Amino acid sequence: MRALAVLLALTSALIALPVAAATPAPKATATPRVVLPKAPTFPEHAEFLVEVNKKGQVVRIKSAKGMGSKDPLFNAHVYGNVLQMWIRHPDGTAEVGLYRVTFDYDPHTRKIARHPTLVQPGGNWGDDEGAADVMMETAAREARQQKAAQQQKQQAQNKSLPPLDTIVGPTSSPTHHP
């Protein structure tokens, strides 16, 4: 009986060995690479004159200097940043006014320093809505309009289709199986 068990184990091993050898080794799958833009090697500077409302939100950009930079990513970064800014005091209060906001890029630290400075207090834009809020409302409105247009297109397309019953025919009833 022992001899039969040893013979069976040996046969199984001889059969399994080629099967194991024929199994390919798992291959590493390609991982997606994140490609970051190269940071500029030179200092950058941009300056904005902005109107700030009573909440501390930037309402609009009155003027911009330094946006003719060689680096379009820096330009886009600071322009978007200044439109979304909140300028408030440390206690959370805000002052309506005209502010100068400067952005300075340091190639050694790869950081952008932002410095808001009050130029002139007051202004008739204190009750105006912030630029970021206006952009969000515009995006939401455009998304709603696009969705409505898509639904209208789908409804018009559905009207030109024949009814499903005429294509498929009547559905059959379930049959009882004993």
Side-chain angles (χ1 to χ4, degrees), residues 3-178:
L4 184 59
V6 170
L7 184 61
L8 185 60
L10 184 61
T11 307
S12 299
L14 289 175
I15 292 173
L17 185 64
V19 171
T23 305
K27 294 181 181 177
T29 58
T31 57
R33 287 185 23 191
V34 177
V35 179
L36 298 174
K38 284 183 73 174
T41 57
F42 47 89
E44 294 276 2
H45 176 79
E47 187 175 303
F48 297 91
L49 203 55
V50 297
E51 297 172 353
V52 175
N53 67 12
K54 65 184 177 186
K55 295 178 184 177
Q57 296 173 302
V58 170
V59 174
R60 69 187 60 81
I61 297 173
K62 193 166 177 135
S63 69
K65 293 180 187 172
M67 291 298 294
S69 160
K70 292 182 263 182
D71 185 11
L73 289 175
F74 174 79
N75 294 339
H77 179 87
V78 297
Y79 188 78
N81 191 299
V82 79
L83 283 173
Q84 298 176 50
M85 277 183 69
W86 292 71
I87 300 175
R88 292 186 172 178
H89 300 293
D91 64 356
T93 60
E95 184 175 355
V96 175
L98 193 61
Y99 287 79
R100 175 172 288 110
V101 181
T102 59
F103 292 90
D104 293 299
Y105 172 73
D106 182 3
H108 302 299
T109 62
R110 293 183 163 182
K111 294 189 179 185
I112 299 174
R114 174 178 67 188
H115 304 285
T117 309
L118 180 64
V119 174
Q120 178 183 348
N124 59 356
W125 53 82
D127 291 327
D128 290 356
E129 195 170 8
D133 290 342
V134 171
M135 287 187 284
M136 292 295 291
E137 288 172 5
T138 301
R141 183 182 66 248
E142 288 173 355
R144 286 191 305 271
Q145 290 172 345
Q146 185 178 14
K147 185 177 179 182
Q150 181 66 26
Q151 287 174 343
Q152 286 177 349
K153 181 181 176 184
Q154 186 67 38
Q155 288 173 352
Q157 190 177 27
N158 289 348
K159 283 183 182 178
S160 64
L161 294 174
L164 188 60
D165 288 341
T166 61
I167 298 171
V168 180
T171 58
S172 60
S173 307
T175 352
H176 179 66
H177 296 287

